[in-house]
Amino acid sequence: MKPRVFISFHVEDEAQVDLLRSQAKDPRFPVEFTDYSVKEPFDEKWKTQCTERIRQSSALVVMIGQETASREAVLWEINKAYELGKPVIGVRIYRDENHRVPQPLKDHGARVIPWNTAKLQVWLEEQG
């Protein structure tokens, strides 16, 4: 069974996240990226839905772009994943950019990698 991965990202980076989802459909990349995007306001209902979706996932991948570190919902998702004991990794969307890493990733010493599906797959396999 493929690991289920929750992707945390800023909505302005959705095109790049869609590319990652597309790459994950390659049979050589045994990961299921469940689309848990919540198109609703960041409120208690959203938090409840998001908590359940993170709980059902085996890991959280944070796609780091220009605005990611300042997005309240992304920060909340990262903190919730840690609260639920989920492994978390940061993936830089743009290899040639050094966008700011969200503070909760820094606080927990999370690994941050450049966008590389092979490296991401290895990390996910290590999480078991």
Side-chain angles (χ1 to χ4, degrees):
M1 186 169 138
K2 294 181 173 187
R4 299 180 83 194
V5 177
F6 185 100
I7 305 173
S8 182
F9 62 96
H10 173 45
V11 70
E12 296 296 321
D13 297 322
E14 191 162 19
Q16 289 79 12
V17 172
D18 286 343
L19 178 59
L20 178 63
R21 289 182 185 124
S22 178
Q23 290 174 339
K25 292 178 182 173
D26 184 322
R28 296 171 295 169
F29 190 61
V31 175
E32 177 184 344
F33 288 117
T34 306
D35 184 358
Y36 282 146
S37 305
V38 180
K39 310 282 191 222
E40 299 172 16
F42 182 62
D43 59 13
E44 287 308 312
K45 179 181 176 189
W46 180 92
K47 289 177 181 178
T48 299
Q49 291 175 336
C50 223
T51 297
E52 188 53 37
R53 292 168 180 176
I54 292 170
R55 183 176 281 120
Q56 293 172 6
S57 299
S58 52
L60 183 121
V61 172
V62 182
M63 298 299 288
I64 302 170
Q66 184 173 350
E67 301 295 323
T68 308
S70 64
R71 308 314 300 173
E72 184 181 0
V74 171
L75 301 176
W76 185 91
E77 290 167 346
I78 296 168
N79 285 320
K80 181 55 68 173
Y82 281 119
E83 179 184 313
L84 295 172
K86 302 295 178 176
V88 179
I89 191 169
V91 175
R92 291 192 182 278
I93 293 174
Y94 304 102
R95 294 175 193 241
D96 57 343
E97 296 287 337
N98 193 24
H99 293 124
R100 196 162 51 98
V101 173
Q103 192 61 45
L105 292 180
K106 292 180 189 178
D107 293 346
H108 290 274
R111 187 169 169 195
V112 176
I113 63 171
W115 187 331
N116 180 307
T117 52
K119 286 183 180 181
L120 183 55
Q121 180 178 345
V122 167
W123 180 82
L124 289 166
E125 289 171 356
E126 289 171 353
Q127 306 314 305

